[in-house]
Structure formats: C-alpha cells, structure tokens
Amino acid sequence: TTVTASSSSSSSASGATQSFTGSGTQSLGTIHVASASVLRWSCSGCATGSFSLTSSSSDPTPLQVQAQNAASGQANLAAGTYTNVTGQGNGPWSFTVAPASPGT
C-alpha cells in the first residue's frame, strides 16, 4: 500500500474534532478515531468525585480514562474504533477528540 502525504490545508471529516456531552452515566455507542488524537475532557462536578470513559474490553486498544477529584484532563488516544463507549461523571460532562498536532 502506498501512502502519500498531502500538504493541503482543507480539512476532511477524518481530521475534524469530535465533541461529546453527557450527564451522569451515558452510553455513547461507537467512536471512530481516524488518527492519533488527544482526548480533552471536563466535568465541573467531578472536582469532588470521579470521571471515567471506557470502551469494550474486547477492543484492540480499549479506551480507559479514569480520574478522581479532577474537573478536567486529557489523554492520548490511538487511532481505531472504540465500541460500547460509556462516560460516567458527577453531573454534566463533555469531551473532545482532536487530531494530535504533528510532532507531539
């Protein structure tokens, strides 16, 4: 397979930032991550509680974000498909998945 790099400045759907929101425990289904990305989350009610994002343990690289007493954070996310993603936090929460900057 030949892969060519393009310096085009147009962004495709695969390079777009994905945003998710929920409250309490919420099932988010399947998340497709096209390239190595950074997951940034926030949950104001989790400063005195916990926040977690998990995917199916049968995924090749399961999603595992666990935080205690933190209102926000970030994690590196490998490209892939994450199934049965579940978010859990104290009150409303949100997170974004954005392509990692080259060189990070």
Side-chain angles (χ1 to χ4, degrees):
T1 302
T2 303
V3 177
T4 56
S6 161
S7 60
S8 167
S9 62
S10 66
S11 68
S12 64
S14 64
T17 298
Q18 302 178 69
S19 298
F20 303 87
T21 59
S23 184
T25 301
Q26 192 128 3
S27 176
L28 301 168
T30 299
I31 297 175
H32 299 283
V33 178
S35 62
S37 297
V38 177
L39 183 154
R40 290 182 178 87
W41 62 270
S42 65
C43 172
S44 58
C46 299
T48 57
S50 64
F51 176 77
S52 69
L53 281 172
T54 57
S55 71
S56 171
S57 59
S58 63
D59 286 351
T61 307
L63 172 59
Q64 286 285 345
V65 174
Q66 304 282 338
Q68 285 290 124
N69 302 324
S72 64
Q74 72 178 46
N76 293 324
L77 203 55
T81 299
Y82 298 88
T83 60
N84 298 324
V85 176
T86 301
Q88 186 170 2
N90 295 47
W93 46 262
S94 64
F95 69 94
T96 60
V97 176
S101 301
T104 56

